[in-house]
């Protein structure tokens, strides 16, 4: 597969965001991406597959849209945000159907995993960074997020 840079991913996401109610087909190396958008939410779907795959690509549920740069989130006083290290996908659970790493009200230690972050199938665990109580989970499971976007809020002990 071609090596996509952060700028390449940003450009692709911008194209998808601006495409309106149309289909888009994108091929980069072995990556083939087909996005269909329409006014009917059930019509929205994303699929991606490499030709070496023996299983057909399946639609992925649309995630919450990323915050726009002008929508800066203010972390409430007395709380700490666990933020996205870069643009990518945030997973609240270790696998589909599994229990989330944390829920609102859970007490966590600084090294507790609060989610997993995916950038082009490179998964990184996100630690709380501070001991305290989870006060908010700001994005949905499998949400596409922007760099430095707050994901989880924790009130330190």
């Amino acid at each position: 597969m071609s090596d996509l840079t952060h700028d390449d991913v940003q450009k692709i996401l911008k194209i998808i965001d601006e495409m309106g109610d149309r289909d888009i087909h994108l091929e980069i190396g072995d990556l083939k991406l087909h996005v269909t958008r329409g006014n009917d939410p059930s019509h929205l779907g994303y699929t991606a597959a490499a030709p070496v795959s023996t299983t057909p690509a399946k639609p992925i549920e649309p995630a919450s849209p990323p915050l726009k740069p002008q929508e800066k989130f203010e972390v409430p006083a007395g709380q700490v945000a666990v933020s996205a290290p870069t643009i990518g996908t945030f997973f609240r659970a270790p696998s589909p159907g599994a229990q989330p790493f944390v829920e609102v009200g859970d007490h966590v230690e600084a090294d507790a995993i609060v989610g997993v972050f995916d950038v082009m199938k490179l998964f990184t665990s996100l630690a709380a960074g501070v001991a305290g109580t989870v006060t908010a989970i700001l994005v949905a499971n499998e949400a596409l997020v922007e760099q430095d976007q707050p994901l989880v809020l924790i009130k330190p002990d």
Side-chain angles (χ1 to χ4, degrees), residues 125-148:
S125 296
L126 297 176
V130 63
T133 302
V134 175
T135 59
I137 298 170
L138 304 172
V139 296
N141 187 45
E142 297 185 34
L144 177 63
V145 296
E146 296 287 335
Q147 183 172 3
D148 298 324

Side-chain angles (χ1 to χ4, degrees), residues 2-3 6-7 16 21 25 27 32-33 35 37 46 52 62 65 82 85 92 105 107 109 112 120 134 136 154:
S2 299
D3 293 326
H6 181 305
D7 288 338
I16 292 170
D21 295 340
H25 299 274
E27 292 188 29
K32 294 180 192 265
L33 177 68
V35 180
R37 290 180 58 176
Y46 298 85
V52 294
V82 178
R92 292 194 55 216
H107 184 271
E109 296 300 323
M120 296 184 64
V134 175
I154 300 171

